[in-house]
Each structure stands twice: as C-alpha cells, then as structure tokens.
Amino acid sequence: SNGAEWYVVDNGMQDFNYLFSSCLELTVELSCWKKPPPHLLNVEWENNIDSLLVLLESTNSGVRGLVRDQDGDPVYRATVCFGMGKEVKTSKSGEFWKLLLPGEYNVFAFHENKFGILKSEMRTITVQHSIGEGYVSRDLTMRIQAYQTFLVNTVKVGYIPDDTVFRDEVIKLFSDATVFSATVVESECKYVKENSRH
C-alpha cells in the first residue's frame, strides 16, 4: 500500500537518504502493534522472512556498472543520468547502480573538477528483465570536455543573419570539434555597399 495515503511524514530520513545518497530506504509495518510483545517477534519473523528475501533479491535488477576516466581510474561522485527520473552518484570505486523497470534508457555520466568537465558518451540500454530477474551491465568512460567560445570575423557581401549556407561554411572551420551552436551576432554586422572600398 501507499504509506503516504495513511499519513504524511515531513523531513523524514527516507526522503533525505533518497535525495542525497540514492539510498532507497523502506519502512515495513507488519501489524497494528508498534511494540509487539517479545514472544510474538519470532512469529512475525517466520511470517515475513520469505517476503524479506524476495525484497533483497529484487536488487538484482536495472543497471549497474563502473565510471572511469580516460586513464582507466574510477571517478568518485560522478553523476549518472538515465534520461528520466533521479540521477545517481558513483561510489569511491566508481560504481553505480539503479533499479529500473523494463524499457529503453539513455545513460551517460558527467563530473566537474578543477580541470574542467568530464563527460561520457550517451549509451542506450535496454532493460528486458522485470524486478529481481537480472540486470544490465554498462561501464562508462569519461573524457575531458573543453568548451570554448570563438568569435569569427569575416567579410561577406550580401545579407548575413539568415544565411545558413554562410553559417555552415564557418562551422567547417571547426571540423575537428563538436559545435553546439553557431550564432550570427547581428549587432556586429556592418553593412557596406558592394562597390565600397572601406
């Protein structure tokens, strides 16, 4: 059942742990007695041990893997994204894991340090198994991303701001890089007559 339909707990450790440590903390209420008598504890244990084991087995689900840098070293506290839902952080050994329902997910990792931004390529994974029936293993390798902004000064006769062919020609100057955007700064455009020498 949904415990939130029974009562609301503000500032609980469950929400805190899930938000800041990706720990999925559960509260299981077995009876109406908050503190059952000691002689009933063994009965509750025997009644619920099978369910507890099935719950533990459900962690064999979703996706898990390692995040390393381009030198093969594990990356601590890298952020792993899945295209939807909550992101997770890697452990000191570079490990990550997340319970996922069957479906397709776009997975990538990134991390920012004093040298810049490390980022992996986006990988598509397909989770085929239901909860507890197996997991997908996917390791990610991150490389340094150097982001730079360039102002290209050039001369062209004619109208520039909507000239996509001209913009594509400028982008070709950066053929060895990934160009995220190219914008003509219209306020910097100087309009001159075609027969002008200045």
Side-chain angles (χ1 to χ4, degrees):
S1 63
N2 185 354
E5 295 178 352
W6 295 8
Y7 54 85
V8 176
V9 178
D10 293 323
N11 304 317
M13 286 301 296
Q14 289 177 320
D15 292 339
F16 179 88
N17 286 336
Y18 182 67
L19 183 62
F20 293 103
S21 70
S22 299
C23 173
L24 189 59
E25 188 173 311
L26 301 175
T27 296
V28 181
E29 300 186 4
L30 302 179
S31 72
C32 295
W33 287 3
K34 187 172 184 178
K35 297 180 180 179
H39 69 276
L40 292 181
L41 293 180
N42 192 57
V43 175
E44 294 292 356
W45 173 256
E46 294 297 334
N47 288 342
N48 294 280
I49 185 173
D50 290 338
S51 298
L52 176 61
L53 293 176
V54 170
L55 175 64
L56 295 176
E57 291 170 356
S58 70
T59 59
N60 183 38
S61 306
V63 62
R64 65 181 69 172
L66 296 173
V67 175
R68 300 184 178 94
D69 62 19
Q70 56 198 25
D71 296 323
D73 298 322
V75 181
Y76 175 47
R77 292 197 61 78
T79 302
V80 184
C81 305
F82 303 89
M84 58 184 299
K86 187 181 180 301
E87 304 161 343
V88 298
K89 299 283 189 180
T90 56
S91 69
K92 290 183 178 180
S93 301
E95 305 158 304
F96 73 93
W97 54 87
K98 186 173 176 68
L99 299 179
L100 294 170
L101 294 174
E104 283 196 350
Y105 300 86
N106 295 320
V107 183
F108 69 95
F110 69 92
H111 180 66
E112 189 169 357
N113 59 24
K114 61 182 179 180
F115 302 108
I117 297 177
L118 292 165
K119 190 174 182 181
S120 74
E121 293 183 355
M122 183 177 293
R123 306 286 297 274
T124 299
I125 63 168
T126 301
V127 177
Q128 298 178 334
H129 301 293
S130 298
I131 296 295
E133 296 180 355
Y135 64 89
V136 176
S137 180
R138 178 67 70 229
D139 293 343
L140 301 171
T141 300
M142 300 198 301
R143 291 175 172 79
I144 192 74
Q145 304 286 315
Y147 295 98
Q148 297 289 336
T149 300
F150 297 92
L151 177 63
V152 179
N153 295 314
T154 185
V155 177
K156 182 180 186 297
V157 176
Y159 189 67
I160 294 177
D162 292 332
D163 191 338
T164 56
V165 175
F166 175 68
R167 186 188 63 184
D168 292 342
E169 290 176 356
V170 173
I171 290 177
K172 288 179 182 178
L173 298 173
F174 304 94
S175 58
D176 292 335
T178 300
V179 178
F180 291 98
S181 66
T183 305
V184 176
V185 183
E186 189 169 359
S187 62
E188 296 294 324
C189 293
K190 307 299 181 184
Y191 297 96
V192 296
K193 295 180 180 179
E194 290 190 31
N195 59 358
S196 174
R197 294 184 178 180
H198 303 288

